[in-house]
Amino acid sequence: MPWSSLLVLALAVMVWTFPVPRPSDADVKFAKGYLEKFYGFRPLAGRPRRQVEFGAKGFRAKVKEMQRFFGLSVSGELDQQTLAAMSRSRCGLADTEQFGDTTRWRTHRLSYSISRYGTKMKPSQIRKVFRVAWRMWARATPLKFKRTRTEADIMISFNTRDHEDGSPFDGPGGTLAHAFLPGPHLGGDVHFDAEENWTSTISGYNLVAVAVHEFGHALGLAHSPDPGAVMFPAYQFDPHTDLQLSFQDVQDIQQLYGKSPVEPDKPPPKTPDKCDPELSFDAVTGFQEELIFFKDRFMWRSHPTFEEIRITLITSLWSDIPTYMDAAYENNGTIVIFKDSQYWEVSGLDVKDGFPRDISDFGFPDKIRSVDAALHFRETQVTVFFTGEECWRYDEEQKRMTDGYPKMMMREWATVPWPVDTAVEYQGLVYFFIGNLQLEFDPELQRVTNTRPANTWLRCADTHHQHGHRKQLLELL
Ligand code: TQI
Ligand code: CA
Ligand code: ZN
Ligand code: ZN
């Protein structure tokens, strides 16, 4: 078709569509979403949910602002032309749609482009980091990400201070990065503060960890209340475990884009629930007035005066200690943590210098490559280690294993089944944790005096499962 005919056709369409009928409710809703995203429009009754603040203005004022930008007649009315401009995206680039409370990309093939590097990390390394970060979202969904050197759906850049999007960066610290929800123009774009100390290690800010989070926003995800989620709003980087999306992240992104056509090689990790009747623990230790319960990458602290016991990441308190640990005990304010054949001593917020060390320090023979549980008695300065059906007695004052050990558990801890997950002394009684059970052992009576669900001390409101636990225990003993 010759250009002149196209022009005539276009004019005909335009003439034909005027004068404007009243925009439908759906059009108004769409326009509000659009203006909210790209022009800082805030519906008065709505909560602020935008990521970059432009300041609130009235709906008509925002429509005018947008019309001015697109070179349309500045009427403040939602006419067909205006709606068309709103729904048109950059040439050849992905479109988006409103989906429930958020916006998602309409296509599964998205392009990204790195338009400005400008930090001390090498460009090749940065490209690799972004490839890794996109792959994490791609694995969970049907989404495919391809880097281009031109205009892309998602423009990524490192910027300094004011970079003309209304959200200036603030130099080292503070804001690290931000992303725009899916959409045309700035939509989907990701900016990193070039003045941060970006690294691919534990020092400074780990670029993969922050990129995965920002890319989640660029795909339409909001923050997650799950502390195990990549979309949880707290910087977390754990050098001991591979960075991966949590079960919750996968649920949230699949809600928007659907499942991946290929099965995952390993299921995403679930954040443990303190009210799960099946909850077991890796380790439990005293900690001054508290007890700390460790599980996977998480812990719960039960301070007598804390109202509610909330789950946190171990790394939010101790950034350098291992996760998925085997055992832990407290000795005089120092926490000793065991994982495989290594142990760490933690004092205050830091791992002591020279750790981890090998557990052979305690006098274990070479065949013992890990411990199940460690139980410390404050009064006597004795630590008991459990390895399978055997137990060991370590004298903290003399720093040596007591002669005659190991002994069979049956001889010293009659009626306690093995292997145990963890053990702790608390107010003169010993508590063993075995799967989802907790056994109270009275050292004076030399027997189990009570049994409860393992998670009893986390003060879970739900106690319906107690009956089942006791029954299970009777079968165990
Ligand atoms: N940037 C914030 C963030 O990405 C910007 C932001 C987006 C925001 N949505 C928000 C701020 C809603 C407040 C409310 O979350 S940031 C993290 C965190 C940042 C923060 O620089 O503060 C990460 C960047 F908090 F998760 F650690 C990356 Cl990972
Ligand atoms: Ca900053
Ligand atoms: Zn920006
Ligand atoms: Zn965020």
PDB file of all heavy atoms in Angstrom, residues 335-354:
ATOM      1  N   ILE A 335      28.997 -18.691  71.612  1.00  0.00           N
ATOM      2  CA  ILE A 335      28.203 -19.756  70.980  1.00  0.00           C
ATOM      3  C   ILE A 335      29.126 -20.566  70.097  1.00  0.00           C
ATOM      4  O   ILE A 335      29.914 -20.005  69.328  1.00  0.00           O
ATOM      5  CB  ILE A 335      27.029 -19.178  70.174  1.00  0.00           C
ATOM      6  CG1 ILE A 335      26.069 -18.462  71.123  1.00  0.00           C
ATOM      7  CG2 ILE A 335      26.289 -20.284  69.430  1.00  0.00           C
ATOM      8  CD1 ILE A 335      24.846 -17.913  70.444  1.00  0.00           C
ATOM      9  N   VAL A 336      29.053 -21.882  70.242  1.00  0.00           N
ATOM     10  CA  VAL A 336      29.877 -22.777  69.436  1.00  0.00           C
ATOM     11  C   VAL A 336      28.939 -23.486  68.462  1.00  0.00           C
ATOM     12  O   VAL A 336      27.936 -24.064  68.883  1.00  0.00           O
ATOM     13  CB  VAL A 336      30.626 -23.793  70.323  1.00  0.00           C
ATOM     14  CG1 VAL A 336      31.647 -24.558  69.497  1.00  0.00           C
ATOM     15  CG2 VAL A 336      31.296 -23.088  71.499  1.00  0.00           C
ATOM     16  N   ILE A 337      29.272 -23.372  67.185  1.00  0.00           N
ATOM     17  CA  ILE A 337      28.398 -23.915  66.144  1.00  0.00           C
ATOM     18  C   ILE A 337      29.111 -25.010  65.365  1.00  0.00           C
ATOM     19  O   ILE A 337      30.277 -24.854  65.000  1.00  0.00           O
ATOM     20  CB  ILE A 337      27.949 -22.776  65.211  1.00  0.00           C
ATOM     21  CG1 ILE A 337      26.948 -21.905  65.962  1.00  0.00           C
ATOM     22  CG2 ILE A 337      27.331 -23.319  63.930  1.00  0.00           C
ATOM     23  CD1 ILE A 337      26.781 -20.558  65.366  1.00  0.00           C
ATOM     24  N   PHE A 338      28.398 -26.097  65.119  1.00  0.00           N
ATOM     25  CA  PHE A 338      28.975 -27.250  64.422  1.00  0.00           C
ATOM     26  C   PHE A 338      28.283 -27.481  63.100  1.00  0.00           C
ATOM     27  O   PHE A 338      27.063 -27.447  63.019  1.00  0.00           O
ATOM     28  CB  PHE A 338      28.816 -28.512  65.279  1.00  0.00           C
ATOM     29  CG  PHE A 338      29.599 -28.441  66.565  1.00  0.00           C
ATOM     30  CD1 PHE A 338      29.107 -27.732  67.656  1.00  0.00           C
ATOM     31  CD2 PHE A 338      30.842 -29.054  66.667  1.00  0.00           C
ATOM     32  CE1 PHE A 338      29.843 -27.642  68.830  1.00  0.00           C
ATOM     33  CE2 PHE A 338      31.575 -28.968  67.834  1.00  0.00           C
ATOM     34  CZ  PHE A 338      31.081 -28.257  68.917  1.00  0.00           C
ATOM     35  N   LYS A 339      29.093 -27.707  62.098  1.00  0.00           N
ATOM     36  CA  LYS A 339      28.540 -28.153  60.816  1.00  0.00           C
ATOM     37  C   LYS A 339      29.566 -29.054  60.153  1.00  0.00           C
ATOM     38  O   LYS A 339      30.710 -28.660  59.951  1.00  0.00           O
ATOM     39  CB  LYS A 339      28.230 -26.971  59.917  1.00  0.00           C
ATOM     40  CG  LYS A 339      27.666 -27.451  58.580  1.00  0.00           C
ATOM     41  CD  LYS A 339      27.167 -26.337  57.724  1.00  0.00           C
ATOM     42  CE  LYS A 339      26.683 -26.925  56.420  1.00  0.00           C
ATOM     43  NZ  LYS A 339      25.812 -26.035  55.691  1.00  0.00           N
ATOM     44  N   ASP A 340      29.156 -30.261  59.826  1.00  0.00           N
ATOM     45  CA  ASP A 340      30.066 -31.266  59.294  1.00  0.00           C
ATOM     46  C   ASP A 340      31.269 -31.377  60.227  1.00  0.00           C
ATOM     47  O   ASP A 340      31.078 -31.435  61.429  1.00  0.00           O
ATOM     48  CB  ASP A 340      30.451 -30.943  57.855  1.00  0.00           C
ATOM     49  CG  ASP A 340      29.222 -30.846  56.945  1.00  0.00           C
ATOM     50  OD1 ASP A 340      28.268 -31.614  57.181  1.00  0.00           O
ATOM     51  OD2 ASP A 340      29.206 -30.014  56.035  1.00  0.00           O
ATOM     52  N   SER A 341      32.475 -31.370  59.696  1.00  0.00           N
ATOM     53  CA  SER A 341      33.623 -31.582  60.578  1.00  0.00           C
ATOM     54  C   SER A 341      34.224 -30.267  61.066  1.00  0.00           C
ATOM     55  O   SER A 341      35.339 -30.247  61.574  1.00  0.00           O
ATOM     56  CB  SER A 341      34.687 -32.388  59.835  1.00  0.00           C
ATOM     57  OG  SER A 341      35.073 -31.683  58.680  1.00  0.00           O
ATOM     58  N   GLN A 342      33.482 -29.166  60.923  1.00  0.00           N
ATOM     59  CA  GLN A 342      34.022 -27.880  61.347  1.00  0.00           C
ATOM     60  C   GLN A 342      33.208 -27.281  62.483  1.00  0.00           C
ATOM     61  O   GLN A 342      32.043 -27.615  62.666  1.00  0.00           O
ATOM     62  CB  GLN A 342      34.000 -26.905  60.166  1.00  0.00           C
ATOM     63  CG  GLN A 342      34.959 -27.287  59.055  1.00  0.00           C
ATOM     64  CD  GLN A 342      34.964 -26.235  57.970  1.00  0.00           C
ATOM     65  OE1 GLN A 342      33.911 -25.883  57.446  1.00  0.00           O
ATOM     66  NE2 GLN A 342      36.139 -25.737  57.652  1.00  0.00           N
ATOM     67  N   TYR A 343      33.854 -26.386  63.239  1.00  0.00           N
ATOM     68  CA  TYR A 343      33.100 -25.619  64.229  1.00  0.00           C
ATOM     69  C   TYR A 343      33.562 -24.173  64.243  1.00  0.00           C
ATOM     70  O   TYR A 343      34.690 -23.863  63.845  1.00  0.00           O
ATOM     71  CB  TYR A 343      33.183 -26.276  65.614  1.00  0.00           C
ATOM     72  CG  TYR A 343      34.506 -26.103  66.328  1.00  0.00           C
ATOM     73  CD1 TYR A 343      34.644 -25.154  67.354  1.00  0.00           C
ATOM     74  CD2 TYR A 343      35.618 -26.882  65.998  1.00  0.00           C
ATOM     75  CE1 TYR A 343      35.858 -24.999  68.014  1.00  0.00           C
ATOM     76  CE2 TYR A 343      36.827 -26.727  66.657  1.00  0.00           C
ATOM     77  CZ  TYR A 343      36.944 -25.781  67.660  1.00  0.00           C
ATOM     78  OH  TYR A 343      38.144 -25.614  68.305  1.00  0.00           O
ATOM     79  N   TRP A 344      32.639 -23.317  64.674  1.00  0.00           N
ATOM     80  CA  TRP A 344      32.851 -21.870  64.707  1.00  0.00           C
ATOM     81  C   TRP A 344      32.578 -21.392  66.137  1.00  0.00           C
ATOM     82  O   TRP A 344      31.655 -21.878  66.772  1.00  0.00           O
ATOM     83  CB  TRP A 344      31.845 -21.160  63.806  1.00  0.00           C
ATOM     84  CG  TRP A 344      32.025 -21.280  62.331  1.00  0.00           C
ATOM     85  CD1 TRP A 344      32.448 -20.304  61.477  1.00  0.00           C
ATOM     86  CD2 TRP A 344      31.734 -22.417  61.489  1.00  0.00           C
ATOM     87  NE1 TRP A 344      32.445 -20.771  60.180  1.00  0.00           N
ATOM     88  CE2 TRP A 344      32.023 -22.056  60.155  1.00  0.00           C
ATOM     89  CE3 TRP A 344      31.266 -23.719  61.742  1.00  0.00           C
ATOM     90  CZ2 TRP A 344      31.851 -22.933  59.081  1.00  0.00           C
ATOM     91  CZ3 TRP A 344      31.099 -24.593  60.673  1.00  0.00           C
ATOM     92  CH2 TRP A 344      31.395 -24.197  59.368  1.00  0.00           C
ATOM     93  N   GLU A 345      33.374 -20.434  66.618  1.00  0.00           N
ATOM     94  CA  GLU A 345      33.053 -19.796  67.893  1.00  0.00           C
ATOM     95  C   GLU A 345      32.611 -18.371  67.617  1.00  0.00           C
ATOM     96  O   GLU A 345      33.291 -17.625  66.911  1.00  0.00           O
ATOM     97  CB  GLU A 345      34.269 -19.813  68.828  1.00  0.00           C
ATOM     98  CG  GLU A 345      34.513 -21.214  69.395  1.00  0.00           C
ATOM     99  CD  GLU A 345      35.549 -21.239  70.527  1.00  0.00           C
ATOM    100  OE1 GLU A 345      35.959 -20.144  70.999  1.00  0.00           O
ATOM    101  OE2 GLU A 345      35.937 -22.341  70.920  1.00  0.00           O
ATOM    102  N   VAL A 346      31.451 -18.029  68.173  1.00  0.00           N
ATOM    103  CA  VAL A 346      30.863 -16.720  67.912  1.00  0.00           C
ATOM    104  C   VAL A 346      30.758 -15.956  69.223  1.00  0.00           C
ATOM    105  O   VAL A 346      30.249 -16.476  70.213  1.00  0.00           O
ATOM    106  CB  VAL A 346      29.440 -16.871  67.321  1.00  0.00           C
ATOM    107  CG1 VAL A 346      28.833 -15.507  67.027  1.00  0.00           C
ATOM    108  CG2 VAL A 346      29.469 -17.728  66.076  1.00  0.00           C
ATOM    109  N   SER A 347      31.267 -14.734  69.221  1.00  0.00           N
ATOM    110  CA  SER A 347      31.192 -13.909  70.410  1.00  0.00           C
ATOM    111  C   SER A 347      30.604 -12.567  69.994  1.00  0.00           C
ATOM    112  O   SER A 347      31.106 -11.935  69.067  1.00  0.00           O
ATOM    113  CB  SER A 347      32.594 -13.745  70.980  1.00  0.00           C
ATOM    114  OG  SER A 347      32.564 -12.831  72.036  1.00  0.00           O
ATOM    115  N   GLY A 348      29.528 -12.162  70.630  1.00  0.00           N
ATOM    116  CA  GLY A 348      28.836 -10.952  70.188  1.00  0.00           C
ATOM    117  C   GLY A 348      28.306 -11.176  68.791  1.00  0.00           C
ATOM    118  O   GLY A 348      27.657 -12.171  68.525  1.00  0.00           O
ATOM    119  N   LEU A 349      28.627 -10.270  67.881  1.00  0.00           N
ATOM    120  CA  LEU A 349      28.097 -10.399  66.524  1.00  0.00           C
ATOM    121  C   LEU A 349      29.106 -11.006  65.566  1.00  0.00           C
ATOM    122  O   LEU A 349      28.823 -11.160  64.388  1.00  0.00           O
ATOM    123  CB  LEU A 349      27.668  -9.027  65.994  1.00  0.00           C
ATOM    124  CG  LEU A 349      26.537  -8.353  66.779  1.00  0.00           C
ATOM    125  CD1 LEU A 349      26.202  -6.997  66.194  1.00  0.00           C
ATOM    126  CD2 LEU A 349      25.297  -9.242  66.820  1.00  0.00           C
ATOM    127  N   ASP A 350      30.293 -11.370  66.105  1.00  0.00           N
ATOM    128  CA  ASP A 350      31.342 -11.805  65.187  1.00  0.00           C
ATOM    129  C   ASP A 350      31.853 -13.203  65.461  1.00  0.00           C
ATOM    130  O   ASP A 350      31.921 -13.648  66.610  1.00  0.00           O
ATOM    131  CB  ASP A 350      32.529 -10.831  65.268  1.00  0.00           C
ATOM    132  CG  ASP A 350      32.118  -9.444  64.848  1.00  0.00           C
ATOM    133  OD1 ASP A 350      31.594  -9.302  63.730  1.00  0.00           O
ATOM    134  OD2 ASP A 350      32.287  -8.500  65.659  1.00  0.00           O
ATOM    135  N   VAL A 351      32.250 -13.862  64.386  1.00  0.00           N
ATOM    136  CA  VAL A 351      32.953 -15.124  64.504  1.00  0.00           C
ATOM    137  C   VAL A 351      34.358 -14.798  64.985  1.00  0.00           C
ATOM    138  O   VAL A 351      34.976 -13.851  64.514  1.00  0.00           O
ATOM    139  CB  VAL A 351      33.007 -15.835  63.139  1.00  0.00           C
ATOM    140  CG1 VAL A 351      33.913 -17.057  63.186  1.00  0.00           C
ATOM    141  CG2 VAL A 351      31.608 -16.238  62.700  1.00  0.00           C
ATOM    142  N   LYS A 352      34.839 -15.564  65.968  1.00  0.00           N
ATOM    143  CA  LYS A 352      36.195 -15.303  66.475  1.00  0.00           C
ATOM    144  C   LYS A 352      37.232 -15.595  65.398  1.00  0.00           C
ATOM    145  O   LYS A 352      37.018 -16.448  64.523  1.00  0.00           O
ATOM    146  CB  LYS A 352      36.470 -16.175  67.704  1.00  0.00           C
ATOM    147  CG  LYS A 352      35.680 -15.754  68.933  1.00  0.00           C
ATOM    148  CD  LYS A 352      36.227 -16.497  70.147  1.00  0.00           C
ATOM    149  CE  LYS A 352      35.333 -16.349  71.363  1.00  0.00           C
ATOM    150  NZ  LYS A 352      35.714 -17.291  72.431  1.00  0.00           N
ATOM    151  N   ASP A 353      38.355 -14.909  65.492  1.00  0.00           N
ATOM    152  CA  ASP A 353      39.434 -15.104  64.517  1.00  0.00           C
ATOM    153  C   ASP A 353      39.910 -16.549  64.546  1.00  0.00           C
ATOM    154  O   ASP A 353      39.949 -17.181  65.595  1.00  0.00           O
ATOM    155  CB  ASP A 353      40.626 -14.192  64.861  1.00  0.00           C
ATOM    156  CG  ASP A 353      40.340 -12.757  64.467  1.00  0.00           C
ATOM    157  OD1 ASP A 353      39.381 -12.535  63.685  1.00  0.00           O
ATOM    158  OD2 ASP A 353      41.054 -11.853  64.953  1.00  0.00           O
ATOM    159  N   GLY A 354      40.289 -17.050  63.411  1.00  0.00           N
ATOM    160  CA  GLY A 354      40.868 -18.385  63.331  1.00  0.00           C
ATOM    161  C   GLY A 354      39.844 -19.489  63.112  1.00  0.00           C
ATOM    162  O   GLY A 354      40.213 -20.652  62.981  1.00  0.00           O
TER     163      GLY A 354
END
